[in-house]
Amino acid sequence: MHLEELRTLLARHVRPDWTTAIDGVLISKVDRPDPPAPSMSGTVLAVIAQGAKRLALGDRVYTYGAGQYLVASVDLPVTGQFLQADPERPALGFGLVLEPSAIAELLLEAGHGDAPRRGGGAPSGIAVSDAPAALLDAVVRLLRLLDEPRDRAVLAPLVKREILWRLITGEQGATVRQLGLADSSLSHVSRAVRWIREHYAQPFRVEDVARQSGMSVSAFYRNFQAVTAMSPIRFQKQIRLQEARLLLATRPGDVTGVGLRVGYDSLSQFSREYRRQFGAPPSQDAVRLRQAGQVPTGVMP
């Protein structure tokens, strides 16, 4: 029953840019299977009401369909693809941006007994589970408020807190709780991820990033791999190539300049790694993107 109403609400309120009148709430609708596309995951809860989606993170692949949810606790470079979608029965999804400050506030209210032990290792940055009825019910009630503008400002924050609480106390609660803890292993890795994203064009020593993240080198390697499914150097390469693709979508004739801007000194290495990642050399892929009218952007899972 929850899924049927969820599908109806999502189809009624979807917008071209996937945003809604409720801050942090996203709705996706895709009416055909799309080719795999790279993006950043964001820190989100994503619930599929119809169809399915597949995400690849490093060597890990996550597939989730109707009645399942995905939690991304770190903004990671992923490759995503909607499945089982057609005009008669499009893929429909709900997304909620996860704010660490809101999770931290709930943890404080709940008391320290609900917090994970800080000495544990970092969980994977992405996890998939079946959505319990209580979570789906809260999502449906939040979307109903899109039809009730008078009540929305007061009730939407309350229902969003309930959704966060369902996540914190649910199957993926350990991951979500770490998102709200300043001293968790996940927060240390998130700090490193942000630094690499901000300085992706610069060479770096892993030892220096580990020190900035507040971890020993061995703990940093272990936790970074657990969260991102990649080494720090491979993670940097993924960010470089995704940024290059964004630039080439608007500057298709400047392959050399784009390669240099994202940190490649060798044009041949840039072209080789770009082709391995996206299936075509930079110049050819840029033309293909422009002809298709596509500009790759970050989207929710």
Side-chain angles (χ1 to χ4, degrees):
M1 183 64 101
H2 290 310
L3 279 179
E4 183 178 345
E5 184 175 1
L6 180 57
R7 286 190 284 265
T8 300
L9 289 166
L10 292 172
R12 181 158 73 240
H13 292 289
V14 67
R15 295 175 176 176
D17 63 358
W18 292 10
T19 63
T20 69
I22 301 175
D23 186 45
V25 172
L26 308 170
I27 295 176
S28 61
K29 178 182 178 182
V30 175
D31 60 9
R32 58 182 172 80
D34 52 357
S39 67
M40 298 303 295
S41 67
T43 53
V44 297
L45 157 70
V47 179
I48 294 291
Q50 187 166 275
K53 187 165 188 180
R54 178 180 296 137
L55 281 185
L57 170 66
D59 297 328
R60 303 174 193 160
V61 177
Y62 304 87
T63 301
Y64 60 116
Q68 294 184 302
Y69 72 94
L70 175 145
V71 170
S73 56
V74 181
D75 192 14
L76 297 170
V78 296
T79 299
Q81 179 182 24
F82 277 99
L83 310 169
Q84 303 172 17
D86 60 61
E88 295 297 321
R89 193 172 175 81
L92 294 167
F94 162 90
L96 177 65
V97 176
L98 300 178
E99 300 289 350
S101 58
I103 295 168
E105 182 180 343
L106 279 175
L107 289 174
L108 286 174
E109 292 182 16
H112 295 294
D114 285 311
R117 290 174 299 180
R118 296 184 179 185
S124 172
I126 290 178
V128 172
S129 291
D130 293 334
L135 176 61
L136 292 176
D137 177 65
V139 169
V140 166
R141 284 187 282 110
L142 182 62
L143 291 172
R144 285 177 188 161
L145 292 173
L146 292 172
D147 293 318
E148 302 170 7
R150 186 189 66 176
D151 301 330
R152 194 160 56 221
V154 173
L155 296 181
L158 301 178
V159 182
K160 286 164 70 174
R161 279 169 58 85
E162 179 186 346
I163 291 172
L164 290 181
W165 181 247
R166 300 297 180 189
L167 294 178
I168 288 170
T169 57
E171 186 175 346
Q172 302 304 332
T175 297
V176 179
R177 289 193 297 268
Q178 286 213 33
L179 187 59
L181 291 174
D183 261 351
S184 69
S185 299
L186 184 64
S187 70
H188 288 300
V189 173
S190 296
R191 196 178 307 154
V193 164
R194 285 194 299 272
W195 190 92
I196 294 173
R197 289 194 62 197
E198 292 170 1
H199 303 86
Y200 66 87
Q202 306 172 14
F204 66 84
R205 296 172 68 248
V206 173
E207 293 82 356
D208 294 336
V209 180
R211 188 182 309 112
Q212 291 183 38
S213 303
M215 287 186 280
S216 68
V217 174
S218 60
F220 177 67
Y221 266 114
R222 183 175 64 254
N223 286 304
F224 195 95
Q225 181 76 28
V227 172
T228 69
M230 289 174 263
S231 69
I233 299 302
R234 184 180 174 191
F235 182 90
Q236 180 195 41
K237 183 189 298 185
Q238 292 279 90
I239 298 297
R240 283 181 171 181
L241 293 172
Q242 289 197 6
E243 291 295 331
R245 201 175 198 222
L246 284 170
L247 292 170
L248 285 169
T250 55
R251 298 163 55 184
D254 189 19
V255 173
T256 300
V258 167
L260 290 171
R261 181 169 174 177
V262 300
Y264 283 92
D265 295 326
S266 166
L267 178 60
S268 61
Q269 182 186 5
F270 172 53
S271 297
R272 182 171 62 253
E273 293 186 356
Y274 190 101
R275 180 169 189 164
R276 187 179 302 126
Q277 179 72 18
F278 301 120
S283 56
Q284 183 179 329
D285 186 50
V287 171
R288 183 175 62 187
L289 287 171
R290 289 181 67 85
Q291 288 176 344
Q294 297 176 340
V295 177
T297 58
V299 297
M300 72 170 187

